[in-house]
Amino acid sequence: QITLKESGPTLVKPTQTLTLTCTFSGFSLSSSGAGVGWVRQPPGKALEWLALIYWNDEKRYSPSLRTRLTITKDTAKNQVVLTMTNMDPVDTATYYCAHRLYGWGIRGDSFDVWGQGTRVTVSS
Amino acid sequence: QSALTQPPSVSGSPGQSVTISCTGSSNDVGDSNRVSWYQQPPATAPKLIIFDVINRPSGVPDRFSGSKSGNTASLTISGLQAEDEGVYYCSSNTGSRTLVFGGGTMLTVL
């Protein structure tokens, strides 16, 4: 059974750096095809994809946030870390990490298992 | 990259069918068969219901089906049930292997 759980601060001040950790179980991020992504959702608004890291350490970032985001993995600890710099009140959202669906013949990047999400508020 | 375009809301009566559209461009939806659909009930994490345009993960009823024509993907839900209510999102890979979501469509079962 695959599970993921996000952890990190619930409140950050403007201009600070946010660090979120996704701790997962039930799969290995060293398995060919595996990946973990981050998606956020401001209150009452749509999902927004942030970043994705693959088993081979390839990384993809949202073009609009690329300069502020860094995604890394620790395969031994079964963790993926997302950092976002220069936080602003508009970054207030629920942040989700999710497991990338992979297997023979699967072509796209979709997320079949999600964490419960962690709410982050940006305020002074 | 711009968000994919979805209608804000759709509705239907139990037993009926509804279709939700997702319009992008030749750089995303039209680029390849890498479109997914998610269902999000209130205050819950999204659930994957369609991947690679037409495929259902195990456990998703065959009432849910996906298709694509050109730059527009569609999700059809047949035999509507009250439990289908929620917000539906499409997503697509882009030509540069990034991802983009749609703005979401609220489904109301009348």
Side-chain angles (χ1 to χ4, degrees):
Chain A
Q1 180 193 5
I2 293 172
T3 64
L4 306 97
K5 187 172 184 179
E6 308 85 354
S7 60
T10 57
L11 178 66
V12 297
K13 297 183 187 308
T15 76
Q16 286 187 335
T17 294
L18 172 68
T19 299
L20 295 173
T21 300
C22 176
T23 303
F24 58 86
S25 64
F27 69 99
S28 173
L29 203 37
S30 61
S31 297
S32 180
V36 172
W38 286 91
V39 176
R40 72 178 179 180
Q41 186 170 36
K45 296 189 177 181
L47 301 173
E48 179 183 17
W49 173 74
L50 300 177
L52 176 56
I53 189 165
Y54 299 90
W55 81 100
N56 58 2
D57 211 36
E58 278 193 43
K59 302 164 186 178
R60 298 284 185 267
Y61 295 101
S62 165
S64 62
L65 293 168
R66 198 201 188 303
T67 59
R68 300 173 55 204
L69 294 173
T70 303
I71 190 170
T72 60
K73 64 180 175 69
D74 186 328
T75 304
K77 290 184 178 179
N78 281 354
Q79 290 182 333
V80 170
V81 175
L82 181 76
T83 61
M84 180 180 290
T85 61
N86 195 24
M87 293 292 285
D88 183 272
V90 300
D91 297 314
T92 293
T94 296
Y95 287 75
Y96 296 98
C97 64
H99 171 265
R100 176 184 183 262
L101 177 69
Y102 66 98
W104 187 86
I106 296 175
R107 301 187 60 192
D109 295 310
S110 57
F111 302 116
D112 62 337
V113 184
W114 295 61
Q116 64 189 21
T118 185
R119 177 70 179 263
V120 177
T121 299
V122 184
S123 175
S124 55
Chain B
Q1 60 194 22
S2 301
L4 306 176
T5 300
Q6 298 181 234
S9 63
V10 297
S11 63
S13 299
Q16 288 186 332
S17 294
V18 295
T19 296
I20 300 172
S21 61
C22 170
T23 301
S25 70
S26 57
N27 185 51
D28 38 62
V29 175
D31 181 61
S32 69
N33 294 328
R34 296 178 293 172
V35 176
S36 302
W37 289 91
Y38 299 86
Q39 175 193 54
Q40 187 178 33
T44 308
K47 172 188 175 184
L48 180 67
I49 54 173
I50 295 286
F51 66 93
D52 288 357
V53 176
I54 61 172
N55 298 298
R56 287 184 306 274
S58 60
V60 175
D62 59 6
R63 302 186 295 105
F64 294 86
S65 62
S67 62
K68 193 190 85 165
S69 178
N71 296 337
T72 298
S74 299
L75 171 70
T76 298
I77 309 170
S78 58
L80 267 181
Q81 300 179 3
E83 67 203 49
D84 297 333
E85 278 203 342
V87 182
Y88 289 79
Y89 294 94
C90 62
S91 75
S92 175
N93 276 110
T94 70
S96 52
R97 198 70 191 276
T98 60
L99 276 169
V100 60
F101 278 96
T105 298
M106 178 68 202
L107 169 62
T108 302
V109 180
L110 303 170

